[in-house]
Amino acid sequence: MTTLIVDYGMANLRSVQKAFEQVGHNATISGDPKHLATASRVVLPGVGAFRDAIARLRETGLDDAVRRHIDAGRPFLGICLGMQLLFSRSHEDGVHVGLNVFQGDVVKFPPSPALKVPHMGWNTLKLTKPDCPLFRGLSGDPAVYFVHSYFATPAASEIVAATADYPAPFCSVVWKGNVYATQFHPEKSQRIGVQMLRNFSSL
């Protein structure tokens, strides 16, 4: 059973890999679409601009490889920008078409004098789908680490597995079938994040 972390040049891949090692699970880093075809589980991390990320995925053929992996029913985890890329469109510096795994738009936090953008630091999750396999072994309102200015607004509310408030609730975890994605960084979220990666590794 192999876990592959997708390398398209826009994430701190080693930190994600080290987090998997913490739970005793080896994860391979690769940017080769052929390697995705044989992976049991795929992780799509990401930091930076949506436009650049989706362009790199398309240039390398990784966009189709990700879709094939998902369509085959194998476990998939998107992290931060990797979650946003799953949606139809992003409105970051123009309008850019995403992977369209989920219908919905990625939008910026509205301006507020009381809040800083980007949303950076620890925030509490409200588990709207506590039966989500990523949440196994968690209790209460777990705190996780965010760094982002944009967030996804799914067209189908039933895929939202958790929200956080900033100041209004925003989508923080999506889950549908074999596809999981987090707006926060599990690899930076200490015990809670490690547990989520352990749960993903056991799928």
Side-chain angles (χ1 to χ4, degrees), residues 5 11 56 83 123 175 196:
I5 301 168
R56 291 190 189 189
M83 170 176 163
N123 203 339
W175 167 43
M196 290 186 185

Side-chain angles (χ1 to χ4, degrees), residues 119 123-124 126 163-170 172:
H119 170 221
N123 203 339
T124 301
K126 296 181 180 177
T163 62
D165 294 344
Y166 199 72
F170 68 90
S172 299

Side-chain angles (χ1 to χ4, degrees), residues 1 20 31 39-41 47-48 59-60 67 69 71 73 85 89 114 136 140 142 146 150 160 163 175-176 202-203:
M1 299 288 284
F20 277 105
S40 304
R41 289 169 293 268
V47 293
E59 286 166 4
T60 56
R67 287 302 304 254
H69 176 89
D71 291 345
L85 290 165
R89 289 169 301 275
R136 195 178 302 122
F146 290 88
Y150 290 77
V160 179
T163 62
W175 167 43
K176 184 177 181 182
S202 70
L203 294 172

Side-chain angles (χ1 to χ4, degrees), residues 44-142:
L44 181 67
V47 293
F50 187 105
R51 176 189 59 198
D52 297 340
I54 196 67
R56 291 190 189 189
L57 289 176
R58 291 192 172 117
E59 286 166 4
T60 56
L62 287 166
D63 58 336
D64 288 339
V66 164
R67 287 302 304 254
R68 286 194 294 270
H69 176 89
I70 290 172
D71 291 345
R74 297 195 294 269
F76 176 90
L77 175 64
I79 296 175
C80 196
L81 179 59
M83 170 176 163
Q84 296 176 8
L85 290 165
L86 296 176
F87 285 85
S88 309
R89 289 169 301 275
S90 172
H91 297 265
E92 181 180 1
D93 298 325
V95 179
H96 308 283
V97 176
L99 296 173
N100 202 34
V101 173
F102 298 127
Q103 292 285 312
D105 290 82
V106 176
V107 300
K108 192 171 187 178
F109 283 109
S112 168
L115 297 173
K116 293 182 179 179
V117 177
H119 170 221
M120 183 181 297
W122 294 89
N123 203 339
T124 301
L125 294 179
K126 296 181 180 177
L127 308 185
T128 55
K129 285 196 168 184
D131 59 331
C132 175
L134 279 190
F135 303 153
R136 195 178 302 122
L138 302 183
S139 59
D141 298 320

